[in-house]
Amino acid sequence: MFPIPSARTGAGDPARTLQLLWRDPAAIPRHGPRQGLTIDQVVAAATALAGAEGLDAVTMRRVAASLGVVPMTLYTYVPGKAELLDLMLDAAYQRMPRTSTTGQPWRQRVTAIAEANRTLFDAHPWAAVISTTRPPLGPGLMAKYDHELSAFDGLGLDDIQMDAALTHLLTFVQAWARAAADAQSARRDTAMDDEQWWAASEPLLQRVLDPRAYPLAVRVGTAAGTAHRAAYNCEHAYDFGLQTILDGLAALIGNPH
């Protein structure tokens, strides 16, 4: 079934991938078993599959079937699954809104970038599981990167610090999105919400756990569980994490606001 070997970008042929990302005319087939199919149609079909069934469902055979062609036809347009993954993610980046935050306080600018990426992962949960240590260097990524850097411009950071600050922010949002998706999957797969799960686990835990052996774990865990009515609260984790990043950046630039 041709499963994608790994959920990471930059795994395909670099030259061919760049040609496809930037729609180099040399990458567009001039003939083939079926005329009229476009790279954009292939990317849209793969994205729809990922949205409906998850990233594992995206195979060349499944994408071809959704377009009504045989797999060999698809290879005429995209050489493989690795390149297709880069195209999918860059296309998602291109569709992100880029509202100007010029003139706003820096905390609002940085928060807006975090929220835009949270919205991206809400719309495309599959994107959160993809490693982008070798990012898709297409027009979507470049427009996204340029826009997001503007939130850190003028804060007294040098270029390396600006890149690092943005990377740290985006890494946090992606990690949060993965955890939020995991929490949702746990509720769905077990048919229990967190309160029900704890209610089922608590009697056994009380029998086997000696509070004196783990005093900090018991005290802090009880406080957190009582406050959140769960072991993990997605919204609290996001708010706390983002606030911590903002406060750390404030200390770095010497500007709390």
Side-chain angles (χ1 to χ4, degrees):
M1 281 292 293
F2 306 101
I4 290 180
S6 60
R8 65 180 179 89
T9 55
D13 173 49
R16 180 67 167 147
T17 300
L18 282 173
Q19 282 185 319
L20 290 165
L21 284 168
W22 291 92
R23 302 301 191 268
D24 185 330
I28 310 300
R30 292 180 172 81
H31 61 276
R34 170 178 171 173
Q35 299 294 323
L37 195 62
T38 67
I39 293 174
D40 289 340
Q41 286 176 303
V42 174
V43 173
T47 301
L49 264 177
E53 302 181 40
L55 204 57
D56 288 343
V58 180
T59 66
M60 297 298 276
R61 187 178 298 278
R62 290 287 305 277
V63 174
S66 70
L67 291 167
V69 300
V70 298
M72 289 308 299
T73 299
L74 203 61
Y75 285 105
T76 306
Y77 295 86
V78 180
K81 300 160 291 298
E83 293 84 359
L84 180 57
L85 192 61
D86 283 43
L87 289 165
M88 291 167 60
L89 194 57
D90 196 69
Y93 289 162
Q94 283 184 293
R95 291 190 295 271
M96 291 177 69
R98 308 193 210 286
T99 304
S100 174
T101 57
T102 301
Q104 294 184 7
W106 71 263
R107 282 179 179 263
Q108 289 181 229
R109 301 202 307 266
V110 174
T111 297
I113 297 305
E115 287 294 320
N117 281 273
R118 177 175 174 172
T119 299
L120 168 71
F121 295 130
D122 284 343
H124 303 292
W126 53 267
V129 305
I130 300 174
S131 170
T132 56
T133 53
R134 291 183 177 178
L137 301 175
L141 173 73
M142 297 310 296
K144 179 179 186 290
Y145 184 53
D146 190 78
H147 171 70
E148 291 174 345
L149 283 172
S150 67
F152 301 89
D153 197 20
L155 299 184
L157 302 174
D158 62 33
D159 289 351
I160 304 302
Q161 290 174 320
M162 287 175 61
D163 176 80
L166 174 59
T167 299
H168 183 54
L169 177 70
L170 299 185
T171 299
F172 158 70
V173 178
Q174 184 174 21
W176 173 85
R178 289 179 181 177
D182 287 345
Q184 184 177 22
S185 295
R187 290 191 294 271
R188 182 182 63 247
D189 295 344
T190 62
M192 289 189 291
D193 62 24
D194 290 336
E195 284 193 78
Q196 292 170 321
W197 183 83
W198 275 110
S201 303
E202 187 176 18
L204 176 61
L205 192 61
Q206 288 180 341
R207 289 200 302 271
V208 300
L209 178 64
D210 180 1
R212 295 169 298 181
Y214 312 100
L216 275 177
V218 170
R219 191 191 81 208
V220 175
T222 299
T226 301
H228 305 316
R229 305 179 72 84
Y232 178 75
N233 181 288
C234 293
E235 291 304 318
H236 179 267
Y238 180 84
D239 293 340
F240 181 85
L242 179 58
Q243 188 61 48
T244 300
I245 289 174
L246 294 173
D247 289 346
L249 186 57
L252 178 65
I253 64 177
N255 179 357
H257 305 294

PDB file of all heavy atoms in Angstrom, residues 19-57:
ATOM      1  N   GLN A  19      11.740  21.983  -7.367  1.00  0.00           N
ATOM      2  CA  GLN A  19      11.061  22.245  -8.640  1.00  0.00           C
ATOM      3  C   GLN A  19       9.552  22.198  -8.472  1.00  0.00           C
ATOM      4  O   GLN A  19       8.818  23.059  -8.981  1.00  0.00           O
ATOM      5  CB  GLN A  19      11.486  21.210  -9.679  1.00  0.00           C
ATOM      6  CG  GLN A  19      12.843  21.437 -10.317  1.00  0.00           C
ATOM      7  CD  GLN A  19      13.104  20.417 -11.413  1.00  0.00           C
ATOM      8  OE1 GLN A  19      12.791  19.225 -11.280  1.00  0.00           O
ATOM      9  NE2 GLN A  19      13.688  20.872 -12.503  1.00  0.00           N
ATOM     10  N   LEU A  20       9.088  21.183  -7.757  1.00  0.00           N
ATOM     11  CA  LEU A  20       7.645  21.031  -7.565  1.00  0.00           C
ATOM     12  C   LEU A  20       7.082  22.123  -6.657  1.00  0.00           C
ATOM     13  O   LEU A  20       6.017  22.675  -6.930  1.00  0.00           O
ATOM     14  CB  LEU A  20       7.351  19.659  -6.972  1.00  0.00           C
ATOM     15  CG  LEU A  20       7.562  18.463  -7.902  1.00  0.00           C
ATOM     16  CD1 LEU A  20       7.589  17.166  -7.108  1.00  0.00           C
ATOM     17  CD2 LEU A  20       6.481  18.417  -8.973  1.00  0.00           C
ATOM     18  N   LEU A  21       7.784  22.434  -5.577  1.00  0.00           N
ATOM     19  CA  LEU A  21       7.302  23.446  -4.644  1.00  0.00           C
ATOM     20  C   LEU A  21       7.124  24.795  -5.320  1.00  0.00           C
ATOM     21  O   LEU A  21       6.154  25.518  -5.056  1.00  0.00           O
ATOM     22  CB  LEU A  21       8.265  23.573  -3.468  1.00  0.00           C
ATOM     23  CG  LEU A  21       8.220  22.458  -2.413  1.00  0.00           C
ATOM     24  CD1 LEU A  21       9.414  22.565  -1.482  1.00  0.00           C
ATOM     25  CD2 LEU A  21       6.920  22.525  -1.616  1.00  0.00           C
ATOM     26  N   TRP A  22       8.068  25.148  -6.180  1.00  0.00           N
ATOM     27  CA  TRP A  22       8.028  26.449  -6.843  1.00  0.00           C
ATOM     28  C   TRP A  22       7.390  26.389  -8.222  1.00  0.00           C
ATOM     29  O   TRP A  22       7.405  27.365  -8.981  1.00  0.00           O
ATOM     30  CB  TRP A  22       9.442  27.039  -6.931  1.00  0.00           C
ATOM     31  CG  TRP A  22       9.946  27.418  -5.565  1.00  0.00           C
ATOM     32  CD1 TRP A  22      10.676  26.648  -4.701  1.00  0.00           C
ATOM     33  CD2 TRP A  22       9.705  28.648  -4.886  1.00  0.00           C
ATOM     34  NE1 TRP A  22      10.916  27.326  -3.535  1.00  0.00           N
ATOM     35  CE2 TRP A  22      10.340  28.564  -3.615  1.00  0.00           C
ATOM     36  CE3 TRP A  22       9.032  29.827  -5.228  1.00  0.00           C
ATOM     37  CZ2 TRP A  22      10.305  29.607  -2.683  1.00  0.00           C
ATOM     38  CZ3 TRP A  22       9.001  30.858  -4.297  1.00  0.00           C
ATOM     39  CH2 TRP A  22       9.635  30.751  -3.053  1.00  0.00           C
ATOM     40  N   ARG A  23       6.822  25.227  -8.544  1.00  0.00           N
ATOM     41  CA  ARG A  23       6.116  25.022  -9.813  1.00  0.00           C
ATOM     42  C   ARG A  23       6.998  25.409 -11.007  1.00  0.00           C
ATOM     43  O   ARG A  23       6.560  26.082 -11.948  1.00  0.00           O
ATOM     44  CB  ARG A  23       4.793  25.793  -9.851  1.00  0.00           C
ATOM     45  CG  ARG A  23       3.816  25.445  -8.751  1.00  0.00           C
ATOM     46  CD  ARG A  23       3.412  23.973  -8.750  1.00  0.00           C
ATOM     47  NE  ARG A  23       2.285  23.735  -7.857  1.00  0.00           N
ATOM     48  CZ  ARG A  23       2.380  23.388  -6.581  1.00  0.00           C
ATOM     49  NH1 ARG A  23       3.577  23.242  -6.015  1.00  0.00           N
ATOM     50  NH2 ARG A  23       1.291  23.186  -5.854  1.00  0.00           N
ATOM     51  N   ASP A  24       8.236  24.973 -10.941  1.00  0.00           N
ATOM     52  CA  ASP A  24       9.150  25.153 -12.063  1.00  0.00           C
ATOM     53  C   ASP A  24       8.535  24.481 -13.290  1.00  0.00           C
ATOM     54  O   ASP A  24       8.117  23.323 -13.220  1.00  0.00           O
ATOM     55  CB  ASP A  24      10.498  24.508 -11.721  1.00  0.00           C
ATOM     56  CG  ASP A  24      11.562  24.748 -12.776  1.00  0.00           C
ATOM     57  OD1 ASP A  24      11.223  24.890 -13.964  1.00  0.00           O
ATOM     58  OD2 ASP A  24      12.747  24.791 -12.408  1.00  0.00           O
ATOM     59  N   PRO A  25       8.450  25.178 -14.405  1.00  0.00           N
ATOM     60  CA  PRO A  25       7.851  24.563 -15.602  1.00  0.00           C
ATOM     61  C   PRO A  25       8.488  23.226 -15.964  1.00  0.00           C
ATOM     62  O   PRO A  25       7.817  22.349 -16.527  1.00  0.00           O
ATOM     63  CB  PRO A  25       8.099  25.610 -16.690  1.00  0.00           C
ATOM     64  CG  PRO A  25       8.158  26.909 -15.954  1.00  0.00           C
ATOM     65  CD  PRO A  25       8.817  26.590 -14.645  1.00  0.00           C
ATOM     66  N   ALA A  26       9.758  23.043 -15.624  1.00  0.00           N
ATOM     67  CA  ALA A  26      10.427  21.784 -15.944  1.00  0.00           C
ATOM     68  C   ALA A  26       9.842  20.623 -15.156  1.00  0.00           C
ATOM     69  O   ALA A  26      10.023  19.460 -15.527  1.00  0.00           O
ATOM     70  CB  ALA A  26      11.921  21.903 -15.658  1.00  0.00           C
ATOM     71  N   ALA A  27       9.150  20.925 -14.048  1.00  0.00           N
ATOM     72  CA  ALA A  27       8.574  19.869 -13.212  1.00  0.00           C
ATOM     73  C   ALA A  27       7.176  19.481 -13.645  1.00  0.00           C
ATOM     74  O   ALA A  27       6.627  18.499 -13.151  1.00  0.00           O
ATOM     75  CB  ALA A  27       8.542  20.326 -11.758  1.00  0.00           C
ATOM     76  N   ILE A  28       6.584  20.254 -14.551  1.00  0.00           N
ATOM     77  CA  ILE A  28       5.207  19.991 -14.973  1.00  0.00           C
ATOM     78  C   ILE A  28       5.220  19.087 -16.193  1.00  0.00           C
ATOM     79  O   ILE A  28       5.789  19.443 -17.238  1.00  0.00           O
ATOM     80  CB  ILE A  28       4.471  21.302 -15.310  1.00  0.00           C
ATOM     81  CG1 ILE A  28       4.650  22.315 -14.174  1.00  0.00           C
ATOM     82  CG2 ILE A  28       3.004  21.026 -15.589  1.00  0.00           C
ATOM     83  CD1 ILE A  28       4.134  21.855 -12.846  1.00  0.00           C
ATOM     84  N   PRO A  29       4.609  17.916 -16.138  1.00  0.00           N
ATOM     85  CA  PRO A  29       4.606  17.004 -17.295  1.00  0.00           C
ATOM     86  C   PRO A  29       3.821  17.590 -18.455  1.00  0.00           C
ATOM     87  O   PRO A  29       2.779  18.203 -18.266  1.00  0.00           O
ATOM     88  CB  PRO A  29       3.939  15.737 -16.748  1.00  0.00           C
ATOM     89  CG  PRO A  29       3.093  16.214 -15.617  1.00  0.00           C
ATOM     90  CD  PRO A  29       3.852  17.358 -15.000  1.00  0.00           C
ATOM     91  N   ARG A  30       4.369  17.434 -19.641  1.00  0.00           N
ATOM     92  CA  ARG A  30       3.692  17.940 -20.841  1.00  0.00           C
ATOM     93  C   ARG A  30       2.868  16.854 -21.538  1.00  0.00           C
ATOM     94  O   ARG A  30       2.145  17.123 -22.470  1.00  0.00           O
ATOM     95  CB  ARG A  30       4.728  18.511 -21.817  1.00  0.00           C
ATOM     96  CG  ARG A  30       5.395  19.777 -21.285  1.00  0.00           C
ATOM     97  CD  ARG A  30       6.423  20.314 -22.287  1.00  0.00           C
ATOM     98  NE  ARG A  30       6.925  21.619 -21.863  1.00  0.00           N
ATOM     99  CZ  ARG A  30       7.863  21.812 -20.952  1.00  0.00           C
ATOM    100  NH1 ARG A  30       8.403  20.768 -20.348  1.00  0.00           N
ATOM    101  NH2 ARG A  30       8.277  23.018 -20.630  1.00  0.00           N
ATOM    102  N   HIS A  31       3.034  15.645 -21.088  1.00  0.00           N
ATOM    103  CA  HIS A  31       2.247  14.560 -21.642  1.00  0.00           C
ATOM    104  C   HIS A  31       2.132  13.472 -20.594  1.00  0.00           C
ATOM    105  O   HIS A  31       2.824  13.480 -19.586  1.00  0.00           O
ATOM    106  CB  HIS A  31       2.898  14.014 -22.914  1.00  0.00           C
ATOM    107  CG  HIS A  31       4.273  13.462 -22.681  1.00  0.00           C
ATOM    108  ND1 HIS A  31       5.389  14.275 -22.658  1.00  0.00           N
ATOM    109  CD2 HIS A  31       4.689  12.199 -22.417  1.00  0.00           C
ATOM    110  CE1 HIS A  31       6.463  13.527 -22.411  1.00  0.00           C
ATOM    111  NE2 HIS A  31       6.070  12.274 -22.249  1.00  0.00           N
ATOM    112  N   GLY A  32       1.273  12.513 -20.810  1.00  0.00           N
ATOM    113  CA  GLY A  32       1.094  11.440 -19.840  1.00  0.00           C
ATOM    114  C   GLY A  32      -0.174  10.677 -20.131  1.00  0.00           C
ATOM    115  O   GLY A  32      -0.924  11.005 -21.060  1.00  0.00           O
ATOM    116  N   PRO A  33      -0.454   9.673 -19.330  1.00  0.00           N
ATOM    117  CA  PRO A  33      -1.634   8.842 -19.550  1.00  0.00           C
ATOM    118  C   PRO A  33      -2.933   9.625 -19.463  1.00  0.00           C
ATOM    119  O   PRO A  33      -3.921   9.263 -20.071  1.00  0.00           O
ATOM    120  CB  PRO A  33      -1.550   7.801 -18.427  1.00  0.00           C
ATOM    121  CG  PRO A  33      -0.102   7.777 -18.042  1.00  0.00           C
ATOM    122  CD  PRO A  33       0.368   9.176 -18.231  1.00  0.00           C
ATOM    123  N   ARG A  34      -2.922  10.702 -18.680  1.00  0.00           N
ATOM    124  CA  ARG A  34      -4.145  11.492 -18.589  1.00  0.00           C
ATOM    125  C   ARG A  34      -3.775  12.966 -18.632  1.00  0.00           C
ATOM    126  O   ARG A  34      -2.932  13.431 -17.897  1.00  0.00           O
ATOM    127  CB  ARG A  34      -4.874  11.195 -17.272  1.00  0.00           C
ATOM    128  CG  ARG A  34      -6.027  12.167 -17.029  1.00  0.00           C
ATOM    129  CD  ARG A  34      -6.762  11.833 -15.757  1.00  0.00           C
ATOM    130  NE  ARG A  34      -7.719  12.893 -15.434  1.00  0.00           N
ATOM    131  CZ  ARG A  34      -8.593  12.825 -14.453  1.00  0.00           C
ATOM    132  NH1 ARG A  34      -8.659  11.737 -13.712  1.00  0.00           N
ATOM    133  NH2 ARG A  34      -9.413  13.819 -14.208  1.00  0.00           N
ATOM    134  N   GLN A  35      -4.413  13.696 -19.522  1.00  0.00           N
ATOM    135  CA  GLN A  35      -4.182  15.119 -19.636  1.00  0.00           C
ATOM    136  C   GLN A  35      -5.101  15.867 -18.667  1.00  0.00           C
ATOM    137  O   GLN A  35      -6.187  15.411 -18.347  1.00  0.00           O
ATOM    138  CB  GLN A  35      -4.459  15.594 -21.075  1.00  0.00           C
ATOM    139  CG  GLN A  35      -3.565  14.941 -22.119  1.00  0.00           C
ATOM    140  CD  GLN A  35      -2.112  15.341 -21.961  1.00  0.00           C
ATOM    141  OE1 GLN A  35      -1.810  16.476 -21.622  1.00  0.00           O
ATOM    142  NE2 GLN A  35      -1.217  14.404 -22.196  1.00  0.00           N
ATOM    143  N   GLY A  36      -4.635  17.004 -18.201  1.00  0.00           N
ATOM    144  CA  GLY A  36      -5.494  17.868 -17.409  1.00  0.00           C
ATOM    145  C   GLY A  36      -5.297  17.761 -15.910  1.00  0.00           C
ATOM    146  O   GLY A  36      -5.764  18.619 -15.170  1.00  0.00           O
ATOM    147  N   LEU A  37      -4.648  16.724 -15.416  1.00  0.00           N
ATOM    148  CA  LEU A  37      -4.380  16.614 -13.989  1.00  0.00           C
ATOM    149  C   LEU A  37      -3.263  17.590 -13.630  1.00  0.00           C
ATOM    150  O   LEU A  37      -2.317  17.771 -14.383  1.00  0.00           O
ATOM    151  CB  LEU A  37      -3.967  15.188 -13.653  1.00  0.00           C
ATOM    152  CG  LEU A  37      -3.988  14.780 -12.180  1.00  0.00           C
ATOM    153  CD1 LEU A  37      -5.391  14.870 -11.621  1.00  0.00           C
ATOM    154  CD2 LEU A  37      -3.444  13.357 -12.025  1.00  0.00           C
ATOM    155  N   THR A  38      -3.403  18.233 -12.474  1.00  0.00           N
ATOM    156  CA  THR A  38      -2.400  19.211 -12.049  1.00  0.00           C
ATOM    157  C   THR A  38      -1.791  18.801 -10.711  1.00  0.00           C
ATOM    158  O   THR A  38      -2.374  18.013  -9.964  1.00  0.00           O
ATOM    159  CB  THR A  38      -3.013  20.610 -11.891  1.00  0.00           C
ATOM    160  OG1 THR A  38      -3.939  20.600 -10.783  1.00  0.00           O
ATOM    161  CG2 THR A  38      -3.744  21.049 -13.158  1.00  0.00           C
ATOM    162  N   ILE A  39      -0.636  19.364 -10.420  1.00  0.00           N
ATOM    163  CA  ILE A  39       0.007  19.114  -9.129  1.00  0.00           C
ATOM    164  C   ILE A  39      -0.901  19.589  -7.995  1.00  0.00           C
ATOM    165  O   ILE A  39      -1.010  18.936  -6.946  1.00  0.00           O
ATOM    166  CB  ILE A  39       1.374  19.800  -9.075  1.00  0.00           C
ATOM    167  CG1 ILE A  39       2.329  19.135 -10.075  1.00  0.00           C
ATOM    168  CG2 ILE A  39       1.963  19.737  -7.662  1.00  0.00           C
ATOM    169  CD1 ILE A  39       3.667  19.820 -10.206  1.00  0.00           C
ATOM    170  N   ASP A  40      -1.565  20.728  -8.208  1.00  0.00           N
ATOM    171  CA  ASP A  40      -2.460  21.241  -7.171  1.00  0.00           C
ATOM    172  C   ASP A  40      -3.591  20.264  -6.874  1.00  0.00           C
ATOM    173  O   ASP A  40      -4.008  20.117  -5.717  1.00  0.00           O
ATOM    174  CB  ASP A  40      -3.036  22.592  -7.592  1.00  0.00           C
ATOM    175  CG  ASP A  40      -1.997  23.703  -7.556  1.00  0.00           C
ATOM    176  OD1 ASP A  40      -0.974  23.532  -6.859  1.00  0.00           O
ATOM    177  OD2 ASP A  40      -2.204  24.731  -8.229  1.00  0.00           O
ATOM    178  N   GLN A  41      -4.101  19.590  -7.899  1.00  0.00           N
ATOM    179  CA  GLN A  41      -5.159  18.607  -7.682  1.00  0.00           C
ATOM    180  C   GLN A  41      -4.643  17.420  -6.878  1.00  0.00           C
ATOM    181  O   GLN A  41      -5.336  16.897  -6.001  1.00  0.00           O
ATOM    182  CB  GLN A  41      -5.713  18.126  -9.028  1.00  0.00           C
ATOM    183  CG  GLN A  41      -6.596  19.129  -9.741  1.00  0.00           C
ATOM    184  CD  GLN A  41      -7.027  18.630 -11.111  1.00  0.00           C
ATOM    185  OE1 GLN A  41      -6.188  18.304 -11.953  1.00  0.00           O
ATOM    186  NE2 GLN A  41      -8.328  18.549 -11.322  1.00  0.00           N
ATOM    187  N   VAL A  42      -3.430  17.004  -7.175  1.00  0.00           N
ATOM    188  CA  VAL A  42      -2.825  15.894  -6.436  1.00  0.00           C
ATOM    189  C   VAL A  42      -2.657  16.271  -4.967  1.00  0.00           C
ATOM    190  O   VAL A  42      -2.994  15.498  -4.063  1.00  0.00           O
ATOM    191  CB  VAL A  42      -1.467  15.509  -7.059  1.00  0.00           C
ATOM    192  CG1 VAL A  42      -0.769  14.457  -6.194  1.00  0.00           C
ATOM    193  CG2 VAL A  42      -1.649  14.997  -8.482  1.00  0.00           C
ATOM    194  N   VAL A  43      -2.147  17.468  -4.717  1.00  0.00           N
ATOM    195  CA  VAL A  43      -1.931  17.933  -3.344  1.00  0.00           C
ATOM    196  C   VAL A  43      -3.265  18.056  -2.608  1.00  0.00           C
ATOM    197  O   VAL A  43      -3.389  17.658  -1.450  1.00  0.00           O
ATOM    198  CB  VAL A  43      -1.188  19.281  -3.344  1.00  0.00           C
ATOM    199  CG1 VAL A  43      -1.109  19.859  -1.943  1.00  0.00           C
ATOM    200  CG2 VAL A  43       0.213  19.102  -3.924  1.00  0.00           C
ATOM    201  N   ALA A  44      -4.277  18.587  -3.276  1.00  0.00           N
ATOM    202  CA  ALA A  44      -5.593  18.741  -2.648  1.00  0.00           C
ATOM    203  C   ALA A  44      -6.185  17.380  -2.294  1.00  0.00           C
ATOM    204  O   ALA A  44      -6.783  17.208  -1.216  1.00  0.00           O
ATOM    205  CB  ALA A  44      -6.526  19.509  -3.575  1.00  0.00           C
ATOM    206  N   ALA A  45      -6.027  16.403  -3.175  1.00  0.00           N
ATOM    207  CA  ALA A  45      -6.565  15.067  -2.910  1.00  0.00           C
ATOM    208  C   ALA A  45      -5.847  14.425  -1.726  1.00  0.00           C
ATOM    209  O   ALA A  45      -6.480  13.806  -0.856  1.00  0.00           O
ATOM    210  CB  ALA A  45      -6.417  14.195  -4.150  1.00  0.00           C
ATOM    211  N   ALA A  46      -4.523  14.569  -1.668  1.00  0.00           N
ATOM    212  CA  ALA A  46      -3.757  14.005  -0.553  1.00  0.00           C
ATOM    213  C   ALA A  46      -4.126  14.691   0.756  1.00  0.00           C
ATOM    214  O   ALA A  46      -4.249  14.037   1.804  1.00  0.00           O
ATOM    215  CB  ALA A  46      -2.262  14.151  -0.830  1.00  0.00           C
ATOM    216  N   THR A  47      -4.312  16.005   0.710  1.00  0.00           N
ATOM    217  CA  THR A  47      -4.686  16.754   1.910  1.00  0.00           C
ATOM    218  C   THR A  47      -6.068  16.336   2.413  1.00  0.00           C
ATOM    219  O   THR A  47      -6.283  16.211   3.624  1.00  0.00           O
ATOM    220  CB  THR A  47      -4.661  18.263   1.618  1.00  0.00           C
ATOM    221  OG1 THR A  47      -3.345  18.641   1.197  1.00  0.00           O
ATOM    222  CG2 THR A  47      -5.050  19.071   2.833  1.00  0.00           C
ATOM    223  N   ALA A  48      -6.989  16.116   1.503  1.00  0.00           N
ATOM    224  CA  ALA A  48      -8.322  15.667   1.888  1.00  0.00           C
ATOM    225  C   ALA A  48      -8.268  14.297   2.556  1.00  0.00           C
ATOM    226  O   ALA A  48      -8.959  14.046   3.555  1.00  0.00           O
ATOM    227  CB  ALA A  48      -9.239  15.625   0.663  1.00  0.00           C
ATOM    228  N   LEU A  49      -7.443  13.403   2.033  1.00  0.00           N
ATOM    229  CA  LEU A  49      -7.285  12.079   2.634  1.00  0.00           C
ATOM    230  C   LEU A  49      -6.711  12.185   4.049  1.00  0.00           C
ATOM    231  O   LEU A  49      -7.186  11.538   4.981  1.00  0.00           O
ATOM    232  CB  LEU A  49      -6.349  11.224   1.771  1.00  0.00           C
ATOM    233  CG  LEU A  49      -6.975  10.277   0.752  1.00  0.00           C
ATOM    234  CD1 LEU A  49      -5.873   9.585  -0.044  1.00  0.00           C
ATOM    235  CD2 LEU A  49      -7.857   9.253   1.435  1.00  0.00           C
ATOM    236  N   ALA A  50      -5.675  13.021   4.198  1.00  0.00           N
ATOM    237  CA  ALA A  50      -5.059  13.195   5.506  1.00  0.00           C
ATOM    238  C   ALA A  50      -6.049  13.768   6.504  1.00  0.00           C
ATOM    239  O   ALA A  50      -6.074  13.375   7.670  1.00  0.00           O
ATOM    240  CB  ALA A  50      -3.830  14.094   5.395  1.00  0.00           C
ATOM    241  N   GLY A  51      -6.873  14.704   6.044  1.00  0.00           N
ATOM    242  CA  GLY A  51      -7.855  15.302   6.930  1.00  0.00           C
ATOM    243  C   GLY A  51      -8.937  14.333   7.346  1.00  0.00           C
ATOM    244  O   GLY A  51      -9.410  14.365   8.489  1.00  0.00           O
ATOM    245  N   ALA A  52      -9.319  13.457   6.453  1.00  0.00           N
ATOM    246  CA  ALA A  52     -10.408  12.530   6.741  1.00  0.00           C
ATOM    247  C   ALA A  52      -9.954  11.298   7.520  1.00  0.00           C
ATOM    248  O   ALA A  52     -10.675  10.798   8.390  1.00  0.00           O
ATOM    249  CB  ALA A  52     -11.076  12.094   5.435  1.00  0.00           C
ATOM    250  N   GLU A  53      -8.744  10.815   7.221  1.00  0.00           N
ATOM    251  CA  GLU A  53      -8.320   9.528   7.783  1.00  0.00           C
ATOM    252  C   GLU A  53      -6.958   9.547   8.454  1.00  0.00           C
ATOM    253  O   GLU A  53      -6.499   8.518   8.962  1.00  0.00           O
ATOM    254  CB  GLU A  53      -8.317   8.466   6.673  1.00  0.00           C
ATOM    255  CG  GLU A  53      -9.659   8.269   5.984  1.00  0.00           C
ATOM    256  CD  GLU A  53      -9.604   7.189   4.919  1.00  0.00           C
ATOM    257  OE1 GLU A  53      -8.940   6.154   5.156  1.00  0.00           O
ATOM    258  OE2 GLU A  53     -10.205   7.378   3.849  1.00  0.00           O
ATOM    259  N   GLY A  54      -6.289  10.680   8.466  1.00  0.00           N
ATOM    260  CA  GLY A  54      -4.970  10.746   9.072  1.00  0.00           C
ATOM    261  C   GLY A  54      -3.867  10.550   8.058  1.00  0.00           C
ATOM    262  O   GLY A  54      -4.095  10.106   6.923  1.00  0.00           O
ATOM    263  N   LEU A  55      -2.663  10.857   8.473  1.00  0.00           N
ATOM    264  CA  LEU A  55      -1.522  10.844   7.557  1.00  0.00           C
ATOM    265  C   LEU A  55      -1.206   9.451   7.028  1.00  0.00           C
ATOM    266  O   LEU A  55      -0.741   9.300   5.888  1.00  0.00           O
ATOM    267  CB  LEU A  55      -0.296  11.423   8.270  1.00  0.00           C
ATOM    268  CG  LEU A  55       0.803  12.011   7.396  1.00  0.00           C
ATOM    269  CD1 LEU A  55       0.261  13.105   6.486  1.00  0.00           C
ATOM    270  CD2 LEU A  55       1.928  12.542   8.261  1.00  0.00           C
ATOM    271  N   ASP A  56      -1.457   8.417   7.818  1.00  0.00           N
ATOM    272  CA  ASP A  56      -1.157   7.059   7.372  1.00  0.00           C
ATOM    273  C   ASP A  56      -1.999   6.650   6.167  1.00  0.00           C
ATOM    274  O   ASP A  56      -1.618   5.741   5.420  1.00  0.00           O
ATOM    275  CB  ASP A  56      -1.394   6.057   8.508  1.00  0.00           C
ATOM    276  CG  ASP A  56      -0.332   6.155   9.600  1.00  0.00           C
ATOM    277  OD1 ASP A  56       0.731   6.751   9.333  1.00  0.00           O
ATOM    278  OD2 ASP A  56      -0.570   5.650  10.711  1.00  0.00           O
ATOM    279  N   ALA A  57      -3.135   7.312   5.978  1.00  0.00           N
ATOM    280  CA  ALA A  57      -3.997   6.969   4.848  1.00  0.00           C
ATOM    281  C   ALA A  57      -3.464   7.511   3.535  1.00  0.00           C
ATOM    282  O   ALA A  57      -3.917   7.097   2.458  1.00  0.00           O
ATOM    283  CB  ALA A  57      -5.411   7.507   5.078  1.00  0.00           C
TER     284      ALA A  57
END
